[in-house]
Amino acid sequence: MYATNYHRASSVEEAVGLASEDAKYLAGGQTLIPTMKQRLAAPSDLIDLRHVAAMQGIKVEGDKVRIGAAVTHAEVAASAAVRGVCAALCDLAAHIGDPHVRHMGTIGGSIANNDPAADYPAALLALKADIITNNRRIGADEFFAGMFETALDEGELVTAVELTAPAKAGYAKFRNPASRYALTGVFVARLGDGSVRVAVTGAGSDGVFRQSEMEAALASNFSADALSGISVDPSNLMADLHATAEYRANLVKVMAKRALIAAG
Amino acid sequence: MASVSMTVNGKAVSGQCEDRTLLVQFIRENLNLTGTHVGCDTSQCGACVVHVDGKAVKSCTMLAVQANGSEVLTIEGLASGGELHPVQAAFKAHHGLQCGFCTPGMIMAATDMIKRHGGKLDEKTVRDELDGNICRCTGYHNIVKAILAAAEEMGSTRQAAE
Ligand SMILES: Cc1cc2nc3c(=O)[nH]c(=O)nc-3n(C[C@H](O)[C@H](O)[C@H](O)COP(=O)(O)OP(=O)(O)OC[C@H]3O[C@@H](n4cnc5c(N)ncnc54)[C@H](O)[C@@H]3O)c2cc1C
Ligand code: FES
Ligand code: FES
C-alpha cells in the first residue's frame, strides 16, 4: 500500500470539505483497502465515514425505508424493521461476502463502487430506490451508469438510500464459490403501483441492468411460470473464466425463477 | 505518522504507526501479538480475524487508525486465568486443526458466530458462517464438529447459570 493520510470525519459537511481530486472516502474499506493493498488505488487522503452520525441508522415509517449510507450489510441483514417490509433486502445483505466482510462493508460503499457483480445494485435498481447525496436525490435508473460507473460527481457523497416497500420482492444469486460475489443475481419486485421491475447483476457486460422482456411477461402474471417462454439473449452478457455468456444467459432465467419463488 | 490508542485484550495500549499501517501489522509488529495471522493479500482467508468493538473483522482489511479508540480482542485474549476458552478447548478435544495456521482466525470467527446465534447452531449454519475462513488442511469436518460442541457446551453453561 502506498502512503496515505487518514482523516476521521464527524459530519457530512466535514467529509465533503475534506474531499479533493486525489482523496477517497473510506466506508467499510472492504473494497477500497484490498484495492490499495494491491496498489491499484493510491488515494493521497482517506476520509473515514464510519463516525458520521447522519449516515448511520435505518428508519422504517409505514412503507418508507431510509438506510444510512454507512449502515453495514450485517445491520441490514439483522434489521427486523426492514424484514417487516422487504425481507428480500435482508436476505440479500445476509449473503454478501462472509460475516467479517458484512460487519464492515456498507450499502453506500457498495453502490458507490458499483462492481458489476455486487448485490445491492440489483436490489436498488429493481426497487426503484433513490440515492441521496450531500446535494441531491438520484433515481437508481440514473445512478448506476455502467461497470464501476455511477452518476456521482467528483467528491459527491452518498448519505442515504431511500425506497418505498414493494408489494412483493425476491432475490436469488448464483454465487461465485471463490469470491462470493454474484456470478449472476436477479432481483424481482412488484412495486406498490403494480409495476414490475427485474434487475440483473453479475451478468451484464456493462454492469447491472433491467430485463425488460421479463418485466413485460411478469406484468400480468408475477410468477415463475410466466418466464417459461423467455430465452435470454447472451450477446450483451459477460464472459470470463468462470462462465460463458450463454451460461450466464441461462442463469439469468434460472435465478429470476428462483427469485420469484422466494418472492412468494 | 499517527498515534493510535486502543484497548487490546483488556489492556490500554498506544503506539505510533503510519496511517497506512494495517491493524494486523500493528497487532503483530507493534504489540508483538503474533497469534493473529496473515494468510493472503486478498481479504479472503480469515486467518487475521479479530474482534473490534465486539464484532469479528478481518484485521488485514482495516487500518490501525480506523481502530483508534476501539476495543480489540485477539486470540491471545480469549483464555482466562490459564484456562482455555471453551472454543479453544473444543478445537483441541475434536482435533479441529492440523498445521494450525488458520486456527486463530477460525476460533475468533467461531466465538463471534456462537455469540450472534446465542449458542443455537446446526451444521449448515456453521458451514455457511465459515465462508470467510479458509483452511488448507482439515477439510473443515473437525472444525465444524468443534464449533458445534463448543456452542452446545456454552449454551448449557449459560442455562446452568440462569
Ligand atoms: C472477501 C470479500 C467478499 C465480498 N463479497 C461480496 C459479495 O458477495 N457481494 C457484494 O456485493 N460485495 C461483496 N464484497 C464487497 C463488499 O460488499 C464491500 O463492502 C462493498 O463493495 C464496498 O463497501 P465498503 O463500505 O466496504 O466501501 P469502501 O471499500 O470503503 O469503499 C468503496 C468505494 O466507494 C467509495 N465510497 C464509500 N462510501 C461512499 C459514500 N458514502 N459516498 C461516496 N463514495 C463512497 C470509496 O471512496 C471507494 O471508492 C466482498 C468483499 C470482500 C473483501
Ligand atoms: S489475511 Fe486477512 S483475510 Fe487473509
Ligand atoms: S489447519 Fe492448516 S490451514 Fe487450517
Side-chain angles (χ1 to χ4, degrees):
Chain A
M1 190 184 293
Y2 291 109
T4 188
N5 296 297
Y6 170 88
H7 311 270
R8 186 175 285 190
S10 55
S11 68
V12 168
E13 295 68 33
E14 190 186 353
V16 173
L18 286 163
S20 69
E21 203 184 317
D22 297 324
K24 266 194 180 297
Y25 294 122
L26 174 65
Q30 301 302 290
T31 293
L32 185 51
I33 292 183
T35 315
M36 289 174 70
K37 288 202 296 185
Q38 310 281 349
R39 294 191 164 181
L40 296 172
S44 61
D45 296 83
L46 289 174
I47 306 157
D48 190 347
L49 305 173
R50 288 167 72 240
H51 302 269
V52 177
M55 292 173 62
Q56 295 290 342
I58 298 174
K59 218 162 63 199
V60 179
E61 277 168 5
D63 62 354
K64 300 284 178 225
V65 180
R66 184 179 202 278
I67 304 175
V71 169
T72 63
H73 309 330
E75 289 172 287
V76 172
S79 167
V82 177
R83 186 162 290 281
V85 295
C86 187
L89 199 57
C90 302
D91 294 338
L92 173 147
H95 289 95
I96 295 176
D98 57 58
H100 326 310
V101 167
R102 295 194 288 272
H103 279 148
M104 291 296 289
T106 68
I107 188 167
S110 175
I111 61 172
N113 194 49
N114 196 16
D115 188 300
D119 296 295
Y120 269 129
L124 300 200
L125 188 58
L127 293 169
K128 213 177 169 189
D130 279 341
I131 288 85
I132 316 298
T133 77
N134 57 303
N135 58 26
R136 59 181 169 147
R137 170 181 291 267
I138 311 172
D141 284 298
E142 187 195 337
F143 184 84
F144 298 108
M147 214 180 249
F148 296 108
E149 291 285 335
T150 66
L152 290 173
D153 292 329
E154 199 74 51
E156 191 170 2
L157 178 70
V158 178
T159 57
V161 166
E162 290 185 2
L163 56 94
T164 305
K168 276 188 173 186
Y171 181 62
K173 157 184 182 180
F174 190 93
R175 281 176 132 193
N176 176 324
S179 78
R180 320 289 178 201
Y181 278 89
L183 198 60
T184 291
V186 180
F187 200 103
V188 298
R190 195 172 72 204
L191 304 185
D193 63 6
S195 62
V196 170
R197 291 167 66 105
V198 176
V200 179
T201 189
S205 52
D206 201 25
V208 66
F209 68 94
R210 283 172 64 190
Q211 226 294 349
S212 42
E213 251 182 297
M214 289 184 176
E215 292 181 352
L218 294 169
S220 52
N221 174 13
F222 192 72
S223 79
D225 306 334
L227 300 184
S228 41
I230 288 184
S231 74
V232 177
D233 177 9
S235 54
N236 286 321
L237 300 188
M238 228 180 329
D240 55 25
L241 80 160
H242 305 295
T244 60
E246 290 72 22
Y247 186 73
R248 280 193 167 86
N250 187 55
L251 277 182
V252 171
K253 186 164 163 179
V254 176
M255 291 304 116
K257 285 183 167 178
R258 288 187 191 169
L260 285 155
I261 293 166
Chain B
M1 285 301 251
S3 318
V4 295
S5 310
M6 54 184 95
T7 307
V8 177
N9 302 332
K11 280 203 239 22
V13 299
S14 50
Q16 296 280 318
C17 65
E18 285 187 277
D19 288 14
R20 65 173 159 180
T21 302
L22 298 170
L23 178 59
V24 70
Q25 262 173 299
F26 184 78
I27 290 171
R28 289 179 55 86
E29 293 167 23
N30 291 51
L31 305 179
N32 288 321
L33 294 171
T34 53
T36 302
H37 292 170
V38 176
C40 72
D41 55 12
T42 51
S43 302
Q44 282 173 311
C45 76
C48 62
V49 170
V50 301
H51 299 184
V52 174
D53 298 324
K55 294 190 176 102
V57 302
K58 292 174 176 168
S59 61
C60 74
T61 313
M62 184 175 197
L63 300 174
V65 282
Q66 282 177 282
N68 196 5
S70 289
E71 291 215 11
V72 177
L73 180 69
T74 73
I75 187 73
E76 289 90 346
L78 270 191
S80 69
E83 210 167 297
L84 291 181
H85 182 278
V87 177
Q88 291 174 307
F91 268 67
K92 188 172 176 216
H94 295 272
H95 198 53
L97 61 146
Q98 286 177 25
C99 79
F101 194 85
C102 70
T103 313
M106 286 287 177
I107 289 178
M108 297 314 286
T111 51
D112 175 72
M113 92 171 73
I114 292 170
K115 188 171 81 186
R116 273 185 292 110
H117 290 271
K120 286 186 209 72
L121 284 172
D122 53 40
E123 181 180 340
K124 183 176 182 307
T125 310
V126 173
R127 287 187 186 272
D128 286 348
E129 288 274 350
L130 287 178
D131 271 347
N133 295 79
I134 294 175
C135 174
R136 301 304 303 265
C137 302
T138 63
Y140 303 94
H141 193 69
N142 286 355
I143 293 176
V144 175
K145 247 180 27 193
I147 296 173
L148 286 171
E152 187 153 322
E153 197 202 314
M154 289 166 76
S156 58
T157 20
R158 196 171 13 241
Q159 264 171 9
E162 275 164 11

